[in-house]
Amino acid sequence: ALPEGRRGRLYRTGLQAGGGTENYIWSISGGNLPNGLWINSSTGEIFGKAVLKGIRNFTVTPRDAQDSANSVSKNIDLEIRLYAGQ
């Protein structure tokens, strides 16, 4: 599970994968990250500042650097909440 984020606050978390050949190529293969967040395709880091609260479901796929057909997808929920003062 990913740590929840706060609307308008910096969010940064890393994804991990195992097996296959590193360095993986990371992508969002279904759904969408919360508006204002991006994924670094080289590192698997999700970062940015979410602009809306709510729960987003998306699918992340790390692809093997040597064999792009070698991949496993994972569905993830990410909740963005209001922070105190909003």
Side-chain angles (χ1 to χ4, degrees), residues 8-82:
R9 300 286 184 156
L10 181 62
Y11 184 84
R12 180 166 289 188
T13 192
L15 302 175
Q16 297 178 348
T21 304
E22 296 182 21
N23 296 323
Y24 304 107
I25 301 166
W26 295 85
S27 65
I28 303 300
S29 55
N32 295 301
L33 288 170
N35 293 340
L37 298 184
W38 292 268
I39 187 168
N40 181 316
S41 63
S42 298
T43 66
E45 181 181 56
I46 296 175
F47 64 96
K49 289 183 181 180
V51 296
L52 300 172
K53 71 178 184 89
I55 299 173
R56 284 291 181 102
N57 179 271
F58 57 93
T59 304
V60 64
T61 303
R63 297 196 187 279
D64 186 305
Q66 299 298 314
D67 180 6
S68 63
N70 188 13
S71 66
V72 175
S73 298
K74 173 82 173 165
N75 290 324
I76 298 174
D77 289 325
L78 175 54
E79 183 171 6
I80 303 298
R81 294 178 173 227
L82 297 176

